[in-house]
Structure formats: structure tokens, C-alpha cells
Amino acid sequence: MKAAVLGKPIAHSLSPALHRAAYTELGLDDWTYDLVECDEAGLPAYVESRGREWAGLSLTMPLKRTMLPLLDHVDPMAAATGGANTVVFRPDGRYGYNTDVQGIVDALTEAGAPAPGTVTIIGAGATACSALAAVGELGAPGADVILRDPARAGALIATAEKLALTIRLRPFDDLRRGGAVAPDLLISTVPAGAAHLLSERTLFSPTPPMAVMDVVYHPWPTPLARAAAAAGAIVASGFALLLHQAAAQVELMTGKPAPLEAMRAAGRAELANRAPR
């Protein structure tokens, strides 16, 4: 059977290391998992041309939203968040899922983060939509969302409405203002450099968040993760998110429990190989 991860750019993806390790541990010696550079324009033709030997696809940016109209069946969480990062080919059609939500929930739970009452999310892209859904799964009623351009919050607002969650949009300039009450949980869904102001605030705040997740996984720790740890917060990593969402993908595609520790070891080994010498 065949599977692959699609996106553009895609060469940096850690998914092959994770999925291939799972196949080896599960004894699926005839399964393969490849990297495929594909943009939005090329996605429909690529998906349509997959044969019966294909088990599924992993999707990264910018393809998660583009995939939805190409599916025959859309899981409720993928519909609510407006994107699918996983496709499973079955005899009755193409099924789409969002495993990023489960990945965020599992990463925070594994790190020991308490159930959040108040949440702040940085960013408003596809990962922010998944983060909002995840905190809803953890019992939070909604989140404050810090973003640069409120005009780009449409998908996030739609996710909140579908899941009956509340959101409050706040300008990025709020990061420069002191005195704000820290949330129970802070999730950054933006590149490491974009959260630099937040890193300084977290480090020097008298009341830091109880838990922080940064979805960046390389290089690690990010400035935000380092500041949060120094301030005494529980820190959940982008690698843990990637690992747990990949484990959910493996289970959907193979029908077998994911060998989480084998996948974790393979992912860490690959990241170590990428570290500067």
C-alpha cells in the first residue's frame, strides 16, 4: 500500500520519518510513504489519479482547505475547522479528517496541562482553527485570539460558530501592553519570530500562563518555549503535536494502533540529524 504527504514546500516535513517508523514497527513491510510537492492547482488531478494501491494522504499547507471539495465524506471536525489534513481512500470514496485537533489535545494532555478555563491563541490560520476546536474539546468555552489583521479571521469565526465557542479578537499590539491577566493556556500558531514579543512578556510577567503550546517544532526550544519554561509554565511542543496527529493518521490509514514510542524515537532521531553540527 502507498501513502504520502503533500504540500508546498514539503522537503522539510517530518512525516515520512514518523509514518515509516510506524510501518516498520507494525510489520507493514509492503507499505511506502513518500514526500510529494504539490500546490493547490495540482491537487485535484493528483487525488483523482490515485489507484486502489493507495491507503491515504497527509496534507500540509496550503492544501488543507483545498482538499474539502474533493472528498466524498467529511468528518465533522474537518468540516467544523474548514480543513482536512488527512485523506483515507476506501471502497466507497475519499474520507477526510482533521487529526491536528486530536494532536493538540493529546500533546497538551501528555505534557500535563490542566483543563483550561481561559485561553489565548496567537494567529488565525488553519492551525488556529484546530487549536480553537481542541480547547473546546478540553472544556474551554472559547478563546481570545490575537492577530494582525481582523479581516483574515473569517475561517476562525466560522469554526467558533459551528462549535458553539466564543472568540474575542484582539490586535497584535496587545502584546506590547502590560498589565493583562495571563490566560490558563496560551497557544502560539505563528512562526517563532512572530511570537518574540510574547516571549519577552511571558518571561517577565508576574503571572505567566499555567501552560504554553508553541506549534513550531524545529528549531526547539523556541524563544517562547524557553521563556515559558523559565517562568514555570508547563510547555507542550510542536513536535508532540506533530507526533500525535501522525499517530492518529496511522490508525486511520492502517486500521491498527499506532506505535507511538517507535514513532517518537524516529522523529527525535531525524530532528537530531537536522541540528547544526
Side-chain angles (χ1 to χ4, degrees):
M1 297 295 290
K2 296 181 178 181
V5 57
L6 278 62
K8 186 174 183 178
I10 199 61
H12 67 285
S13 176
L14 202 61
S15 293
L18 300 174
H19 284 254
R20 290 168 186 168
Y23 300 163
T24 298
E25 188 73 11
L26 293 171
L28 300 176
D29 298 330
D30 59 340
W31 281 59
T32 62
Y33 190 96
D34 296 317
L35 283 167
V36 177
E37 184 159 301
C38 179
D39 60 15
E40 293 169 289
L43 184 62
Y46 185 88
V47 172
E48 292 289 347
S49 63
R50 297 309 92 188
R52 293 183 179 180
E53 74 278 16
W54 280 83
L57 302 172
S58 306
L59 302 164
T60 185
M61 296 304 294
L63 305 178
K64 297 177 183 181
R65 300 194 190 283
T66 309
M67 189 68 225
L68 286 185
L70 306 177
L71 298 168
D72 301 299
H73 308 274
V74 181
D75 179 77
M77 194 58 78
T81 56
N85 74 325
T86 308
V87 178
V88 179
F89 296 105
R90 297 189 175 120
D92 61 336
R94 297 186 286 267
Y95 284 71
Y97 302 89
N98 179 336
T99 68
D100 286 332
V101 176
Q102 190 62 49
I104 293 170
V105 170
D106 289 347
L108 286 167
T109 301
E110 182 179 72
T118 56
V119 180
T120 296
I121 296 171
I122 313 299
T127 305
C129 291
S130 294
L132 180 63
V135 299
E137 292 288 290
L138 290 167
D144 283 2
V145 179
I146 295 178
L147 71 169
R148 292 189 185 280
D149 183 5
R152 300 181 64 181
L156 197 61
I157 292 171
T159 295
E161 291 175 349
K162 291 173 184 175
L163 296 176
L165 298 171
T166 61
I167 59 171
R168 181 176 64 162
L169 302 182
R170 295 168 51 192
F172 224 79
D173 282 348
D174 276 11
L175 298 183
R176 297 184 173 89
R177 301 188 183 111
V181 176
D184 296 334
L185 172 63
L186 172 68
I187 302 177
S188 175
T189 69
V190 297
H196 180 67
L197 282 173
L198 195 61
S199 305
E200 296 178 346
R201 282 281 308 281
T202 300
L203 181 59
F204 296 110
S205 171
T207 56
M210 290 192 293
V212 172
M213 166 174 269
D214 193 332
V215 303
V216 175
Y217 65 86
H218 183 69
W220 187 266
T222 63
L224 175 59
R226 191 179 299 110
I234 292 169
V235 179
S237 70
F239 172 71
L241 160 58
L242 187 67
L243 170 66
H244 285 287
Q245 67 81 28
Q249 290 182 333
V250 167
E251 294 185 4
L252 286 167
M253 292 182 193
T254 69
K256 299 177 181 292
L260 190 66
E261 294 312 313
M263 296 172 68
R264 191 192 309 272
R268 285 177 172 167
E270 176 61 25
L271 287 174
N273 288 338
R274 298 180 184 184
R277 303 284 180 186

